[in-house]
């Protein structure tokens, strides 16, 4: 909320500030605040609404980051597969990878509008993931498709467990090699997305700072109201404007 918005609230105030008992409890609710100043109450409501919106965006990005971390882990498990890996361990690793990949894809879509206008780099990451699936080379006659792995229209993966079981029964070492290459490539893409200097981390840091600033603004508004509650206050619009201005400046 900018200063002009705060001051405009004072112009619409009904100048209903009243002197409260010096033993009055701290002003913490909108109802309490409204009794002192409708302008301050409206200002606080708007700041709280922005806090909630920012917290929701931060939570969405947090879930996306967790989904990427899980995909990084399951990609690492695929990358470690080798000729000595059992068919059961290969199947388990691939099933986990598919679930984590699909969760990360869903998280990327949900986070698209949660970055407060920031470019999270999700488009580049999704392109890298799709490229990894499309360019993973065959080993012998074994490919991702022959292992039962297919990309759906929405970009998610689908695994045919029966096809996978049949392929591993005849060429488990080749299957492990193909999946190991896939895991290594996807893992690199995920690591770049999770980098501390990456766009996702920067967006989350920015939202953290915004949330802290909004909380500071809210506390400043409440502090201004408490001063009105325990001391004589000029119930003029100018007095409300001054209190709002001081609260806004403290919240920066």
């Amino acid at each position: 909320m900018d200063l002009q918005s705060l001051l405009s609230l004072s112009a619409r105030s009904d100048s209903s500030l009243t002197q409260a008992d010096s033993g009055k409890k701290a002003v913490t609710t909108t109802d309490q605040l409204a009794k002192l100043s409708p302008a301050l109450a409206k200002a606080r409501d708007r700041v709280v609404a922005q806090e909630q919106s920012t917290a929701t965006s931060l939570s969405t990005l947090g879930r996306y980051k967790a989904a990427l971390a899980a995909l990084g882990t399951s990609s690492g498990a695929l990358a470690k597969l080798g000729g000595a890996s059992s068919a059961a361990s290969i199947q388990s690793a691939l099933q986990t990878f598919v679930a984590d990949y699909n969760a990360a894809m869903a998280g990327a879509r949900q986070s698209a509008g949660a970055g407060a206008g920031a470019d999270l780099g999700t488009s580049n990451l999704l392109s890298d993931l799709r490229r990894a699936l499309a360019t993973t080379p065959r080993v012998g006659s074994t490919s991702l498709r022959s292992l039962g792995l297919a990309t759906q229209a929405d970009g998610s993966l689908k695994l045919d467990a029966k096809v996978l079981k049949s392929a591993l029964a005849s060429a488990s070492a080749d299957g492990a090699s193909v999946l190991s290459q896939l895991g290594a490539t996807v893992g690199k893409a995920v690591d770049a997305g999770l980098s501390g200097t990456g766009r996702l981390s920067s967006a989350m840091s920015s939202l953290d700072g915004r949330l802290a600033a909004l909380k500071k603004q809210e506390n400043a508004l409440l502090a201004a109201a408490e001063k009105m509650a325990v001391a004589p206050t000029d119930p003029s619009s100018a007095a409300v404007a001054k209190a709002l201005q001081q609260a806004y400046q403290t919240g920066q």
Side-chain angles (χ1 to χ4, degrees):
M1 177 181 293
D2 57 29
L3 180 56
Q4 187 60 42
S5 296
L6 287 172
L7 292 177
S8 69
L9 289 174
S10 70
R12 297 194 298 271
S13 172
D14 61 3
S15 300
S16 61
L17 298 178
T18 59
Q19 179 180 0
D21 183 87
S22 60
K24 182 179 179 65
K25 294 181 179 180
V27 179
T28 58
T29 68
T30 299
D31 287 342
Q32 290 175 315
L33 197 54
K35 292 178 180 178
L36 292 169
S37 167
L40 285 178
K42 290 177 181 178
R44 189 218 179 185
D45 284 347
R46 291 190 180 184
V47 170
V48 169
Q50 291 181 34
E51 284 181 40
Q52 293 172 341
S53 176
T54 302
T56 298
S57 293
L58 191 57
S59 177
T60 298
L61 295 189
R63 290 193 298 271
Y64 173 44
K65 185 176 182 179
L68 282 182
L71 179 58
T73 298
S74 55
S75 295
L78 279 189
K80 293 178 181 178
L81 293 176
S85 301
S86 67
S89 64
I90 295 172
Q91 182 168 352
S92 176
L94 184 54
Q95 287 174 333
T96 301
F97 171 83
V98 168
D100 290 342
Y101 182 96
N102 289 342
M105 291 289 286
R109 289 191 291 270
Q110 293 169 0
S111 68
D119 179 0
L120 303 179
T122 48
S123 295
N124 290 340
L125 177 59
L126 293 178
S127 294
D128 288 343
L129 295 180
R130 287 191 289 266
R131 189 179 303 112
L133 291 166
T135 61
T136 297
R138 289 172 174 267
V139 174
S141 61
T142 302
S143 65
L144 292 178
R145 182 170 292 279
S146 72
L147 291 171
L149 192 63
T151 303
Q152 304 300 290
D154 64 355
S156 64
L157 295 179
K158 183 178 181 180
L159 178 63
D160 188 321
K162 291 183 178 180
V163 172
L164 176 62
K165 184 177 181 180
S166 176
L168 294 178
S170 60
S172 64
D174 287 351
S177 181
V178 170
L179 294 176
S180 177
Q181 294 178 74
L182 174 64
T185 305
V186 171
K188 289 180 180 179
V190 170
D191 287 345
L194 290 173
S195 168
T197 58
R199 295 171 180 175
L200 176 59
S201 293
S202 295
M204 293 185 70
S205 177
S206 177
L207 287 171
D208 268 326
R210 175 170 171 75
L211 188 60
L214 287 168
K215 176 57 71 174
K216 192 173 182 181
Q217 282 191 16
E218 182 192 2
N219 290 339
L221 288 167
L222 292 175
E226 287 172 12
K227 289 181 180 179
M228 293 178 182
V230 298
T233 308
D234 177 3
S236 67
S237 180
V240 180
K242 182 178 180 180
L244 287 169
Q245 183 172 2
Q246 290 175 339
Y248 175 80
Q249 290 172 339
T250 302
Q252 295 306 292

